[in-house]
Each structure stands twice: as structure tokens, then as C-alpha cells.
Amino acid sequence: MSDEDNPTARTARGVAMAREKLAQAKADAAKRGQLPRREPRRRGGGPRREAGDPQLFGRAIADLLADRGWERSAAVGGVFGRWPEIVGPDLAAHTKPDSFEDGEVLILADSTAWATQVRLLARTLVRRLNEELGEGTVTKVKVRGPQNAPRPSGGLRVTGSRGPGDTYG
């Protein structure tokens, strides 16, 4: 097997050539007096802030949330507050987020039809919510439709009937 057919040999030649070109570029820069900086750059210019010094309100809130471990709860609350923006006005008109526990979001729907629609959109909702909250935060969407809704009563209902079979058969 020749060096041209051997991928390892080709890679070694490429690395050697890159090092050679880098050394040449450094030598050219040295001749022009434009050497790269040797010392690391300083971060955060200016004096350090003391604990009692005033700071921006947003920064103070962010620090408080981080200190107390409330960052995720605040993010989830923000998503719940912006529900129409996240899912769109049509879906938001018929649904609302109820709770978030252990990666599971419970969504309440105002009808069984909308509950079914949300179940069909569950994967998309999980992806969209994770875009807002961070990957892996939401793992499952659980949907609850209207619970124990009273059955409509009226002149067409007969107590104890078994449906249309009573009339025709």
C-alpha cells in the first residue's frame, strides 16, 4: 500500500503542512511587527462590585432566582403566561396549561374535540415548549378534557331509555 492510498499517512502530511504554513505566517507577522498577544485578555473591565452596591433590577432578580433555585419555576410560569404567543391564538382560546411536574405538562381543554387535537399535537408541543424552557425540560404532554359535564336534558330524552333501539327495534 503506497502513502497515497494510506489515509493515516495523508493526514500526517496534512498536519505537517499546516504546521509549516502556521510557522511561516508567524514569521511573516514578526517581520511586520504584528505578533499576536501573549498575555490573556482581561474580562470585566472596571472595578469589582461590592455586595451592597446598587445594581440593575433585572440583574438583581436573575441573581435572586439563581440563589433560591427558582429559575425553572420562573421559566415555566413565563411560558404559562405567554401561552397564546407560544401555541397560537386558536389553540390558546380552547386550552390552558394547568401544571408542570416532573417534566409533564397538564393541559386543560374546553371540549373533547380540542383535547383530541392537543393529543395529536403533543410531540410538536413538547418540542416547542423545550425551545422556550431548554432541551429536555418537558418530556410529556398530558391532556384533560371537560370532566363530568352534565348530560343535556330536554324533551327528546326519556329516562331509562336505551337509545334509538327502543324506538325501532
Side-chain angles (χ1 to χ4, degrees):
M1 183 180 227
S2 69
D3 278 354
E4 291 178 15
D5 294 335
N6 186 348
T8 307
R10 276 189 297 200
T11 303
R13 280 196 316 267
V15 169
M17 190 181 304
R19 284 189 180 133
E20 186 178 309
K21 294 294 182 186
L22 178 62
Q24 182 63 40
K26 284 182 178 180
D28 292 345
K31 286 180 187 175
R32 292 190 308 267
Q34 297 175 339
L35 286 176
R37 296 169 51 121
R38 296 264 183 219
E39 70 276 355
R41 294 179 186 236
R42 288 184 50 196
R43 289 187 175 178
R48 296 196 54 102
R49 190 186 307 264
E50 295 295 321
D53 287 349
Q55 57 181 323
L56 297 174
F57 183 72
R59 182 71 190 156
I61 294 296
D63 289 347
L64 174 69
L65 293 175
D67 290 345
R68 303 277 170 99
W70 294 341
E71 293 165 313
R72 179 172 281 180
S73 298
V76 169
V79 165
F80 282 16
R82 295 183 301 113
W83 187 249
E85 296 170 30
I86 293 169
V87 300
D90 294 334
L91 190 60
H94 300 282
T95 63
K96 69 176 186 175
D98 185 58
S99 64
F100 174 78
E101 282 187 38
D102 300 325
E104 182 177 288
V105 175
L106 175 63
I107 298 174
L108 303 178
D110 63 4
S111 70
T112 55
W114 279 102
T116 301
Q117 182 68 22
V118 173
R119 285 183 190 104
L120 293 172
L121 293 171
R123 282 188 179 169
T124 305
L125 276 174
V126 167
R127 182 183 47 77
R128 182 66 181 103
L129 291 170
N130 280 330
E131 287 174 4
E132 294 289 326
L133 297 169
E135 195 58 42
T137 304
V138 177
T139 57
K140 185 177 179 182
V141 170
K142 188 174 180 180
V143 184
R144 189 180 323 150
Q147 298 292 314
N148 300 328
R151 297 198 61 114
S153 60
L156 300 178
R157 294 217 173 255
V158 177
T159 306
S161 76
R162 293 181 305 177
D166 281 353
T167 308
Y168 299 108

